[in-house]
Amino acid sequence: MKHCIYSLTVLLSVLFFASSCKSSKSTAKKSPVKTYVQPCSDLVQSDTIMRTWAMGRSDSETTARKKAMTMAYADLAGMLEKTVGSMVEEYSATLSEGTQAASKELLLQKTVTTSKRVVKGARIICDQWHKDEKTGQYANYIVMEINTDVYIRMLSDEMKKAGKTVDDALLKELFIKHINKGKE
């Protein structure tokens, strides 16, 4: 009799466990939660190129576009300022003491003018629109980028105009290093 009760208990436990597993599978398939991925956000990550994602929302397409562009430019400018500042510090540390201060000052001056030009010329690599039918709002999603090679070439040209040369390969290496540091 004990053996029958034990067998019956085990059988009922197995059936209960099996039915509970089955019910969890069916509820998982019918989950109402949807995952939403922002348009263009998959393009932001890059190890060698500085990129930013921005969105503008308005009931006017033009205003939505201006908001997205303004946010992207501001974000790129902030990222560039931080990256270039760190790059100049590290680059200056590699110079000999006699040329360090003068070169650092000139390099900082040239990075300011170069950065302004580069941010204004940032390239849009993704531009998507969405209209919310319920609210009538437009959303503009964009990703903008600053190419490392373009920035270093422009900075090098500015330094040459001032009569100084820089190690382009070292600047590029440091620039990429500090782009990646900013993402940590």
Side-chain angles (χ1 to χ4, degrees), residues 2 4 10 23 49 68 87 96 110 129 132 137 140 148 160 164 172 176 178-179 181:
K2 286 183 181 179
C4 285
V10 169
S23 66
I49 299 173
M87 175 192 74
S96 65
K110 296 303 176 184
W129 287 90
D132 186 342
Q137 295 270 312
N140 181 221
T148 304
K160 285 177 187 169
K164 299 284 184 186
K172 182 178 178 180
I176 291 170
H178 289 285
I179 285 174
K181 248 187 200 178

Side-chain angles (χ1 to χ4, degrees), residues 57-76:
R57 187 180 303 274
S58 177
D59 55 355
S60 161
E61 287 183 35
T62 304
T63 305
R65 176 67 168 203
K66 285 180 183 178
K67 286 180 178 180
M69 296 287 284
T70 301
M71 289 177 60
Y73 283 133
D75 194 29
L76 275 177

Side-chain angles (χ1 to χ4, degrees), residues 19-161:
S19 68
S20 68
C21 288
K22 183 178 179 183
S23 66
S24 69
K25 285 183 183 176
S26 64
T27 58
K29 289 180 183 176
K30 297 178 184 178
S31 176
V33 177
K34 292 181 181 178
T35 303
Y36 179 71
V37 177
Q38 295 283 356
C40 300
S41 63
D42 58 327
L43 297 173
V44 175
Q45 295 301 321
S46 175
D47 292 337
T48 59
I49 299 173
M50 188 176 288
R51 290 184 179 156
T52 189
W53 176 91
M55 182 207 45
R57 187 180 303 274
S58 177
D59 55 355
S60 161
E61 287 183 35
T62 304
T63 305
R65 176 67 168 203
K66 285 180 183 178
K67 286 180 178 180
M69 296 287 284
T70 301
M71 289 177 60
Y73 283 133
D75 194 29
L76 275 177
M79 290 168 54
L80 190 58
E81 181 181 4
K82 182 180 175 185
T83 301
V84 168
S86 301
M87 175 192 74
V88 168
E89 287 296 323
E90 193 168 343
Y91 182 80
S92 296
T94 65
L95 301 175
S96 65
E97 277 191 42
T99 60
Q100 186 177 16
S103 295
K104 181 179 177 182
E105 185 64 32
L106 180 62
L107 190 56
L108 281 171
Q109 289 173 359
K110 296 303 176 184
T111 59
V112 170
T113 57
T114 303
S115 295
K116 287 178 183 176
R117 286 181 32 217
V118 168
V119 168
K120 286 180 183 176
R123 190 171 73 113
I124 297 173
I125 61 167
C126 184
D127 188 0
Q128 292 186 11
W129 287 90
H130 174 72
K131 182 176 181 185
D132 186 342
E133 297 299 329
K134 292 179 185 176
T135 64
Q137 295 270 312
Y138 294 95
N140 181 221
Y141 304 91
I142 62 173
V143 173
M144 294 179 85
E145 74 177 14
I146 294 174
N147 188 297
T148 304
D149 293 328
V150 170
Y151 183 82
I152 297 301
R153 187 185 71 243
M154 289 175 76
L155 180 58
S156 180
D157 290 346
E158 285 294 317
M159 292 296 287
K160 285 177 187 169
K161 288 178 189 174

